[in-house]
C-alpha cells in the first residue's frame, strides 16, 4: 500500500504542478478561453509541455526536438487572447482569478480513479509483488533512464559502443516526463511509467473529454461519467472473427486500449486540443495544435500534415478564412517540418558497418511502382477492417439519433463541418500511409497510432451532440452500452502482463543489489516468432529485473545467422529489416569487431569473451532456452521461476 500511496502522490502533485504552470501562463498572457473545462484542459497541456520541454532542454543541452513546443503553445495562447470574445454557447462563467474550483476538484477525483485503474492492472492478489507490464513498457521504462543519462534523444539502449548512438525520431514526450519523475523519486521506472506518468497524461486526456461534453452543455454528473468511460473506448475485438487472418491483422485497433497502451497518450492530448479548437472555431490556431503532433510522435507527421492542408483548403473554399489566414494556418506545420528535417539531418551519422545505415534501411521499405494495385487493395482493406472494429459505435449512435430525431429533437450546438473534414482527411491519409509503408515492420501503426486515439475523440463529439437535452433513459442506454462494450473488449484483449511466483521474485529482490548493472539474456530460436521480435532492446526475457533495478544494461546473448533470414519463413518477407535489427545488437557488434581484428572464435567462445569483456553480472534465460555449456563455469547461483519457467543465473564476481 505504501507503493500505491507513493505513485498516487506523484500523479496528483504532478497534475497540480502542471495546472499551476498553465494557470500562471494564463494570467501572464491574460488568456480568456470560451469555456472553463477548455481552460482547465489547455492550462494542463501548457503546464505539462513546459515541464517536459525545459527538462529535455536541460538534459540534452538544447539538442532536443521538443525545443519548439513552448514557443508554439505560447503563440497559441496569444492567439486565444487576441480573439478575446465570448461565445453565445458559453457553458460556465468563472472567475479567472480563482485558482481552486469544483471542476479542478472533480478532475483530481478522476485522476485518483485513473491511478487506481493503472495500479489494479498490475496488482496481483496472490503476490506481494506487482505484475510486470507488457515488455514494450519495460523497454520504454529503461529508455527513459538512458535519455537523461546520455542526454541524447535516441531509442537505442546501446551502452558498450556509444559511437553507434545518435538522435533518432521517436516519441519522447512521455519518456521525458517519466525520466524526470524517476530522477526525483528513485522508484522503479517501470512502475512509475505505467502508473504515475501514464496517469498524468490520462488525467489531462480526461480533462479534454470533459471539455468536449461541456461544450455541448451536458450535465455535470454525466460529464464526469462519460469522460471517464471514453478513456477506454477503442475498437471492438469480436472473438468469433479472429480466426480470419484479414480481421486478425487489424487487431491493434482493439488492443490499443489507452490504460494498457499509454504510449499513445500524447497523441490523444493534441488531437483533443485540435478538436476543441475546431469546436470553438479557433481556425487560425488549429495549425499550432496539429504542428505539435510531429514533435511528440513522429509517425503522425503525414496524417497531421495532410489533415491541416485539407482543413485549410476547405476553409478557404468556403470563405471562412482569407488567403492570408490560410498562410498563417500552414506556417506552424511548415516550420516544424523544416525544423525536424534539419534537426535530424544535421546530427552526425553514427558509426555503421557496411549496408546498415539509414539509406540502406530506407531502400528496403519503399514500394515499387508496379505494386500500385496491391497498395490500393491494402488501403481499401484498412477501411473494411476499421469498419469491423468500430462499426458497433456507429450503429449505437445511429439508433439513438433516429430515436431522438423522431421523439425529442436537438439543441442549437452543432457539430461543425470542419470536424468531418479533419476526421475524413486523417482517416484517408492514415490508410494510405499504412499501404505505402506495407514493407515496413510496423506499417499498421501508421494507421492505428492516429486513428485509435482520433476515433474516441470524434465519437465523444457525436455522442455529446445527441445527448443534448436528452432524457435520463437515453443517458442510461448510452452509458450501459459503453460499459458493456468496454468490458467485452477488455476481456477479449487481456492485459499482456507477466506473472512471476512470489518465491522467485523474493529471491530476485534479495540478489538484485549485488548482481551489477549489466546483464545478458538468452532466448531460444523458437522464441522468435517474427522479425519484430529480433529487436535486442525491446524483446527480451528477464523483464522481472525491471521491478528491482533502474538503469541496467541488458544485452542479448542469442545469435541468429543473418544469412538464414531469407530462407526462414518467419523472417523471409521482412528479411532486409530483420538483418538490420540483428546487426544493431551489442553482441553482433562485439563479434563483428572481433572478426575485424582477426579473432576467429566459435560462437559460444565469443559469448564467453563478450561476458568477460562487458563485465556482465547475471544472465536471464527463457523457458525454452538453455544456457550454453561453456558459460556454466561462470555461474555462481541460479533461480527458476515456477510460473514462467524463466531462469536467472547469477555469475561469479
Amino acid at each position: 500500500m505504501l507503493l500505491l500511496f507513493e505513485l498516487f502522490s506523484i500523479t496528483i502533485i504532478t497534475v497540480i504542478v502542471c495546472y499551476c504552470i498553465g494557470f500562471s501562463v494564463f494570467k501572464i498572457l491574460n488568456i480568456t478561453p470560451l469555456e472553463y473545462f477548455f481552460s482547465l484542459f489547455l492550462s494542463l497541456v501548457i503546464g505539462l509541455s513546459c515541464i517536459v520541454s525545459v527538462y529535455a532542454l536541460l538534459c540534452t543541452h538544447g539538442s532536443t526536438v521538443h525545443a519548439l513546443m513552448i514557443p508554439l503553445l505560447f503563440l497559441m495562447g496569444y492567439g486565444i487572447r487576441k480573439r478575446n470574445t465570448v461565445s453565445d454557447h458559453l457553458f460556465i462563467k468563472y472567475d479567472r482569478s480563482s485558482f481552486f474550483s469544483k471542476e479542478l476538484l472533480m478532475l483530481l477525483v478522476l485522476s485518483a480513479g485513473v491511478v487506481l485503474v493503472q495500479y489494479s492492472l498490475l496488482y496481483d492478489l496472490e503476490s506481494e509483488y506487482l505484475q510486470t507490464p507488457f515488455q514494450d513498457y519495460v523497454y520504454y521504462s529503461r529508455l527513459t533512464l538512458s535519455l537523461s543519462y546520455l542526454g541524447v534523444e535516441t531509442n537505442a539502449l546501446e551502452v558498450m559502443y556509444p559511437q553507434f548512438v545518435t538522435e533518432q525520431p521517436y516519441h519522447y514526450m512521455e519518456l521525458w516526463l517519466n525520466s524526470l519523475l524517476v530522477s526525483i523519486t528513485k522508484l522503479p521506472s517501470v512502475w512509475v511509467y505505467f502508473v504515475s506518468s501514464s496517469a498524468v497524461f490520462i488525467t489531462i486526456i480526461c480533462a479534454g473529454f470533459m471539455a468536449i461534453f461541456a461544450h455541448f452543455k451536458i450535465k455535470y454528473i454525466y460529464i464526469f461519467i462519460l469522460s471517464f468511460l471514453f478513456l477506454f473506448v477503442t475498437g471492438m475485438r469480436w472473438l468469433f472473427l479472429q480466426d480470419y487472418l484479414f480481421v486478425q491483422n487489424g487487431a491493434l485497433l482493439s488492443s490499443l486500449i489507452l490504460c494498457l497502451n499509454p504510449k499513445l497518450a500524447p497523441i490523444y492530448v493534441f488531437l483533443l486540443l485540435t478538436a476543441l479548437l475546431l469546436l470553438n472555431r479557433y481556425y487560425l490556431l488549429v495549425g499550432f495544435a496539429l504542428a505539435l503532433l510531429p514533435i511528440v510522435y513522429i509517425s503522425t507527421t503525414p496524417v497531421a500534415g495532410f489533415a491541416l492542408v485539407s482543413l485549410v483548403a476547405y476553409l478557404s473554399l468556403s470563405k471562412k478564412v482569407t488567403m492570408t489566414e490560410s498562410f498563417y494556418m500552414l506556417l506552424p506545420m511548415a516550420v516544424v517540418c523544416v525544423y525536424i528535417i534539419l534537426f535530424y539531418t544535421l546530427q552526425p551519422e553514427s558509426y555503421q558497418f557496411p549496408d546498415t545505415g539509414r539509406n540502406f534501411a530506407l531502400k528496403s521499405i519503399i514500394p515499387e511502382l508496379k505494386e500500385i494495385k496491391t497498395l490500393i487493395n491494402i488501403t481499401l482493406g484498412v477501411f473494411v477492417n476499421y469498419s469491423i472494429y468500430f462499426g458497433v459505435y456507429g450503429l449505437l449512435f445511429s439508433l439513438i439519433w433516429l430515436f431522438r430525431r423522431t421523439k425529442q429533437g436537438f439543441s442549437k450546438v452543432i457539430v461543425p463541418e470542419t470536424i468531418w473534414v479533419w476526421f475524413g482527411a486523417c482517416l484517408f491519409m492514415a490508410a494510405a500511409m499504412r499501404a505505402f509503408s506495407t514493407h515496413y515492420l510496423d506499417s499498421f501503426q501508421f494507421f492505428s497510432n492516429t486513428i485509435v486515439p482520433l476515433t474516441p475523440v470524434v465519437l465523444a463529439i457525436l455522442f455529446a451532440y445527441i445527448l443534448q437535452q436528452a432524457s435520463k433513459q437515453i443517458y442510461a442506454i448510452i452509458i450501459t452500452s459503453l460499459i458493456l462494450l468496454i468490458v467485452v473488449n477488455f476481456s477479449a484483449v487481456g492485459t499482456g502482463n507477466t506473472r512471476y511466483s512470489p518465491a522467485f521474485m523474493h529471491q530476485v529482490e534479495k540478489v538484485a543489489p549485488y548482481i551489477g548493472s549489466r546483464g545478458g539474456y538468452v532466448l531460444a530460436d523458437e522464441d522468435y516468432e517474427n522479425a519484430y521480435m529480433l529487436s535486442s532492446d525491446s524483446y527480451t526475457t528477464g523483464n522481472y529485473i525491471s521491478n528491482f533495478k533502474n538503469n541496467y544494461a541488458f544485452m542479448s546473448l542469442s545469435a541468429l545467422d543473418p544469412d538464414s533470414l531469407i530462407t526462414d519463413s518467419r523472417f523471409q518477407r521482412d528479411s532486409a529489416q530483420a538483418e538490420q535489427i540483428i546487426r544493431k545488437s551489442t553482441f553482433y557488434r562485439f563479434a563483428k569487431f572481433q572478426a575485424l581484428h582477426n579473432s576467429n572464435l566459435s560462437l559460444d567462445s565469443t559469448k564467453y569473451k563478450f561476458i568477460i569483456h562487458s563485465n556482465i553480472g547475471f544472465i536471464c534465460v527463457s523457458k525454452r532456452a538453455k544456457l550454453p555449456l561453456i558459460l556454466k563455469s561462470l555461474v555462481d547461483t541460479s533461480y527458476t521461476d515456477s510460473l514462467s519457467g524463466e531462469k536467472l543465473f547469477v555469475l561469479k564476481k
Side-chain angles (χ1 to χ4, degrees), residues 343-359:
F343 179 82
Y344 289 112
T345 302
L346 296 177
Q347 300 298 336
E349 177 79 25
S350 62
Y351 178 83
Q352 298 289 345
F353 294 122
D355 294 333
T356 58
R358 295 173 184 170
N359 294 334

Side-chain angles (χ1 to χ4, degrees), residues 320-338:
K320 294 182 179 179
V321 297
T322 64
M323 291 300 294
T324 302
E325 290 172 332
S326 298
F327 172 77
Y328 285 122
M329 283 185 69
L330 294 171
L331 185 59
M333 181 66 76
V335 170
V336 167
C337 289
V338 170

Side-chain angles (χ1 to χ4, degrees), residues 283-433:
Y283 297 136
L284 296 186
L285 305 182
V286 169
F288 289 98
L290 288 174
L292 287 163
L293 274 169
I295 295 175
V296 302
Y297 224 105
I298 191 67
S299 65
T300 64
T301 304
V303 177
F306 183 77
L308 179 59
V309 171
S310 301
L311 278 169
V312 170
Y314 169 78
L315 291 170
S316 298
L317 292 173
S318 59
K319 308 297 183 182
K320 294 182 179 179
V321 297
T322 64
M323 291 300 294
T324 302
E325 290 172 332
S326 298
F327 172 77
Y328 285 122
M329 283 185 69
L330 294 171
L331 185 59
M333 181 66 76
V335 170
V336 167
C337 289
V338 170
Y339 171 75
I340 290 175
I341 291 171
L342 290 176
F343 179 82
Y344 289 112
T345 302
L346 296 177
Q347 300 298 336
E349 177 79 25
S350 62
Y351 178 83
Q352 298 289 345
F353 294 122
D355 294 333
T356 58
R358 295 173 184 170
N359 294 334
F360 181 82
L362 192 61
K363 291 177 184 177
S364 67
I365 62 176
I366 295 178
E368 299 178 9
L369 187 61
K370 63 182 180 182
E371 297 178 88
I372 185 66
K373 186 176 180 180
T374 301
L375 300 183
I376 293 173
N377 289 335
I378 292 173
T379 303
L380 296 175
V382 171
F383 289 129
V384 174
N385 236 330
Y386 177 76
S387 301
I388 292 172
Y389 281 94
F390 282 100
V392 64
Y393 294 103
L395 178 62
L396 175 61
F397 171 81
S398 300
L399 292 174
I400 300 298
W401 183 79
L402 288 172
F403 176 79
R404 291 217 58 202
R405 186 182 180 188
T406 57
K407 298 289 184 181
Q408 293 173 297
F410 295 92
S411 178
K412 296 277 186 177
V413 183
I414 63 171
V415 178
E417 297 90 343
T418 49
I419 294 292
W420 299 113
V421 174
W422 173 51
F423 176 66
C426 287
L427 188 63
F428 170 78
M429 191 59 184
M433 282 302 301

Side-chain angles (χ1 to χ4, degrees), residues 59-194:
C59 289
T60 62
H61 303 289
S63 182
T64 171
V65 75
H66 289 83
L68 280 183
M69 287 195 75
I70 295 178
L72 288 173
L73 285 166
F74 271 68
L75 286 171
M76 183 190 299
Y78 175 76
I80 292 175
R81 189 190 74 171
K82 191 174 181 181
R83 207 194 91 171
N84 191 12
T85 59
V86 179
S87 172
D88 60 356
H89 61 269
L90 183 66
F91 178 63
I92 297 171
K93 293 182 179 180
Y94 68 99
D95 178 8
R96 286 183 298 115
S97 64
S98 174
F99 178 81
F100 291 104
S101 65
K102 61 180 179 181
E103 290 80 19
L104 176 60
L105 180 61
M106 182 176 11
L107 182 66
L108 293 177
V109 171
L110 283 173
S111 183
V114 171
V115 173
L116 290 176
V117 168
Q118 296 302 114
Y119 188 84
S120 66
L121 291 172
L122 301 180
Y123 187 71
D124 192 339
L125 289 172
E126 300 176 7
S127 175
E128 62 184 292
Y129 301 96
L130 295 180
Q131 296 178 23
T132 304
F134 182 61
Q135 58 198 14
D136 278 7
Y137 294 95
V138 176
Y139 164 63
Y140 297 145
S141 69
R142 294 174 56 211
L143 191 57
T144 62
L145 295 158
S146 68
L147 284 179
S148 56
Y149 176 74
L150 295 175
V152 177
E153 286 182 338
T154 178
N155 57 8
L157 289 172
E158 178 63 70
V159 295
M160 294 293 297
Y161 301 108
Q163 64 266 39
F164 288 94
V165 177
T166 190
E167 283 80 359
Q168 295 287 341
Y170 205 50
H171 50 91
Y172 294 106
M173 188 176 186
E174 77 281 14
L175 302 181
W176 277 121
L177 176 64
N178 193 67
S179 177
L180 173 61
L181 297 182
V182 172
S183 66
I184 294 172
T185 65
K186 309 303 180 184
L187 290 172
S189 178
V190 67
W191 295 341
V192 175
Y193 182 96
F194 195 83

